[in-house]
């Protein structure tokens, strides 16, 4: 049986139908319609996994945020080069939706994003035809397929979005990263009751080191930090430059 075959067909149909009937939101930083693919992904997986509405909404909103931020980075240069953001950037958002609902680990989610970076597609020459609404369905099924394959053990180029010859560089990106696309990003630190106590902000090409204490863990699932790993290293590395370390 093909991985997620029935699911992807249902997801694709819902996305294409919704976009064809113009049940679209519009985000002008994204230059497209993030919900057109993110919501069908959440509904399809939610039905399959019998998940609560709270889980669906959290995954959906996370996916919309990711696709919007990536879409803002790609910007009008990507759109003017002939790419349909609803399909291209939308595929990254749907991958996040599916990764959250399938409870993928951080590494599995990174691999899923790498897989979809070589899968995301959609060109504006299809506007005015059935190919345009099909883009939303494509993006939805792309996300589910990438996440399910990653959960089965598929690996990919982890930095497939931003690496040399990666998605950004081959899809009309103007090599600019708008401040609004990365604001409020960072690494959060929580206490044992999962109350956030500190956020280390994202800064381009900065690295941070922290020493771990006896009650320190990694991830929301509280993965133990082994004694041989005495520090936590956080790198925000994008492009080659002089390093600054705090």
């Amino acid at each position: 049986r093909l991985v997620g075959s029935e699911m992807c067909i249902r997801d694709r149909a819902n996305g294409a139908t919704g976009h064809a009937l113009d049940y679209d939101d519009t985000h002008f930083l994204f230059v497209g319609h993030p919900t057109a693919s993110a919501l069908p992904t959440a509904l399809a997986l939610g039905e399959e996994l019998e998940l609560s509405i709270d889980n669906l909404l959290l995954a959906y909103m996370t996916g919309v945020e990711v696709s919007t931020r990536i879409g803002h980075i790609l910007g009008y240069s990507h759109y003017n080069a002939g790419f349909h953001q609803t399909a291209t950037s939308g595929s990254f958002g749907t991958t996040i939706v599916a990764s959250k609902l399938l409870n993928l680990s951080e590494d599995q989610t990174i691999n899923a994003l790498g897989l979809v970076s070589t899968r995301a597609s959609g060109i504006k020459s299809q506007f005015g035809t059935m190919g345009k609404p099909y883009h939303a369905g494509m993006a939805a099924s792309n996300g589910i397929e990438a996440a399910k394959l990653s959960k089965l053990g598929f690996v990919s180029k982890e930095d497939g979005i931003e690496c040399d010859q990666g998605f950004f560089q081959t899809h009309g990106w103007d090599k600019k990263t708008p401040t609004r696309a990365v604001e409020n990003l960072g690494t959060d630190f929580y206490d044992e009751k999962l109350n956030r106590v500190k956020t280390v902000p994202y800064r381009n090409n900065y690295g941070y080191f922290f020493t771990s204490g006896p009650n320190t863990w990694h991830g929301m699932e509280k993965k133990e930090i082994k004694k041989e790993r005495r520090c936590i290293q956080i790198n925000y590395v994008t492009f080659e430059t002089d390093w600054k370390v705090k």
Side-chain angles (χ1 to χ4, degrees):
R1 181 178 177 180
L2 296 177
V3 175
S5 56
E6 295 177 7
M7 174 63 54
C8 288
I9 291 171
R10 186 186 318 150
D11 200 20
R12 196 177 299 134
N14 286 339
T17 301
H19 195 33
L21 296 174
D22 282 333
Y23 286 108
D24 294 329
D25 54 356
T26 298
H27 198 301
F28 290 103
L29 296 181
F30 174 78
V31 201
H33 313 292
T35 292
S37 55
L39 186 58
T41 304
L43 292 175
L45 274 175
E47 180 182 0
E48 180 185 69
L49 302 173
E50 298 182 348
L51 300 175
S52 70
I53 188 64
D54 289 341
N55 285 329
L56 264 64
L57 288 175
L58 177 60
Y60 155 72
M61 289 187 291
T62 305
V64 166
E65 179 166 354
V66 168
S67 60
T68 300
R69 288 180 184 268
I70 289 179
H72 189 29
I73 292 172
L74 286 165
Y76 279 95
S77 61
H78 174 74
Y79 186 81
N80 291 337
F83 296 104
H84 185 196
Q85 290 259 41
T86 300
T88 55
S89 302
S91 291
F92 298 103
T94 62
T95 301
I96 292 297
V97 174
S99 295
K100 285 191 69 65
L101 294 179
L102 290 167
N103 199 28
L104 265 59
S105 68
E106 180 180 347
D107 288 342
Q108 288 173 325
T109 302
I110 290 171
N111 274 315
L113 288 169
L115 283 172
V116 88
S117 71
T118 200
R119 183 82 160 141
S121 59
I123 51 178
K124 286 164 55 185
S125 62
Q126 294 290 340
F127 284 15
T129 75
M130 293 180 182
K132 180 180 184 285
Y134 181 62
H135 286 168
M138 280 169 40
S141 63
N142 284 345
I144 289 180
E145 180 180 294
K148 286 196 170 186
L149 287 172
S150 182
K151 189 166 187 175
L152 288 173
F154 263 59
V155 296
S156 67
K157 180 73 172 171
E158 292 185 352
D159 56 350
I161 300 174
E162 71 275 17
C163 68
D164 185 36
Q165 297 188 338
F167 189 86
F168 281 172
Q169 294 191 22
T170 57
H171 284 74
W173 180 47
D174 62 5
K175 294 183 170 57
K176 297 176 182 177
T177 302
T179 300
R180 292 184 67 182
V182 295
E183 66 183 359
N184 299 322
L185 295 181
T187 301
D188 294 332
F189 285 79
Y190 296 80
D191 62 21
E192 59 186 2
K193 295 181 180 179
L194 298 184
N195 296 310
R196 188 172 62 183
V197 296
K198 182 179 179 63
T199 297
V200 178
Y202 167 88
R203 294 187 65 184
N204 187 31
N205 291 298
Y206 265 67
Y208 300 81
F209 285 92
F210 298 89
T211 57
S212 58
N215 190 28
T216 305
W217 65 89
H218 177 257
M220 301 305 287
E221 298 174 1
K222 294 191 176 183
K223 299 175 184 176
E224 182 183 0
I225 297 177
K226 304 296 184 180
K227 62 181 181 180
E228 62 269 16
R229 184 180 176 185
R230 298 183 182 280
C231 70
I232 305 172
Q233 179 179 351
I234 302 171
N235 295 326
Y236 299 133
V237 184
T238 51
F239 303 102
E240 185 175 353
T241 186
D242 294 332
W243 267 90
K244 306 176 184 69
V245 179
K246 280 192 174 182

